Amino acid sequence: CGRQDESEIDVEVEAEVEAEASKTLRSILTSRRFLVFLVIFSTLQSVGSGLFIANLSLLASSLYVPEERQASLVSMVSYCNCAGRFAAGFLMDALSRRGVPKAAHTCWTAFVLFCAAAALTFSSDVQLPGLLQPALVAVAFVYGANW
């Protein structure tokens, strides 16, 4: 009896997979699930691609980071971005074997971005230079993880 229930579940899962695969591009692009993902992804990534990395030296100079340290911050962000891409790939593969959906990484990356933003926003001017490097590491890592 237990084996029959498992085979019925397998048939239902296969039917759902076939139904998902048969969707047209238009139905996917207009689905609520896709639009929610698009908004979340765009919100998380727009800061990184358009403002953050391109203007990192300007951001550092506005916080009175010495010029010789600005280049190292840009390099550090690039390395952390790359590390985030690799680490997220391995992490998503490892967690998916344990039943965690691959899209769950969007939640933890958003949480890390929120924590970094909160730390920088609510810190005093005296604490800000000390928090800049850890915040940049966190932001660069999760930015890479999303790509």
Side-chain angles (χ1 to χ4, degrees), residues 76-90 108 137 140-145:
M76 179 192 63
V77 166
S78 297
Y79 293 136
C80 291
N81 187 328
C82 180
R85 291 175 193 220
F86 284 109
F90 288 123
W108 67 262
V137 166
F141 189 86
V142 297
Y143 178 71

Side-chain angles (χ1 to χ4, degrees), residues 19-38:
E20 289 289 322
S22 67
K23 288 185 175 181
T24 64
L25 179 61
R26 182 181 182 134
S27 67
I28 292 170
L29 293 177
T30 57
S31 71
R32 182 174 182 226
R33 186 181 212 176
F34 175 77
L35 294 175
V36 168
F37 177 77
L38 181 65

Side-chain angles (χ1 to χ4, degrees), residues 101-117:
K102 287 189 175 190
H105 82 282
T106 305
C107 295
W108 67 262
T109 57
F111 178 73
V112 171
L113 285 173
F114 174 77
C115 290

Side-chain angles (χ1 to χ4, degrees), residues 18-77:
E18 288 178 17
E20 289 289 322
S22 67
K23 288 185 175 181
T24 64
L25 179 61
R26 182 181 182 134
S27 67
I28 292 170
L29 293 177
T30 57
S31 71
R32 182 174 182 226
R33 186 181 212 176
F34 175 77
L35 294 175
V36 168
F37 177 77
L38 181 65
V39 168
I40 292 170
F41 185 79
S42 299
T43 302
L44 292 175
Q45 294 304 307
S46 64
V47 172
S49 61
L51 301 172
F52 175 65
I53 294 175
N55 295 314
L56 189 56
S57 291
L58 292 173
L59 187 129
S61 66
S62 71
L63 295 172
Y64 305 108
V65 174
E67 281 190 42
E68 58 273 359
R69 190 163 170 237
Q70 290 176 14
S72 66
L73 286 177
V74 173
S75 296
M76 179 192 63
V77 166

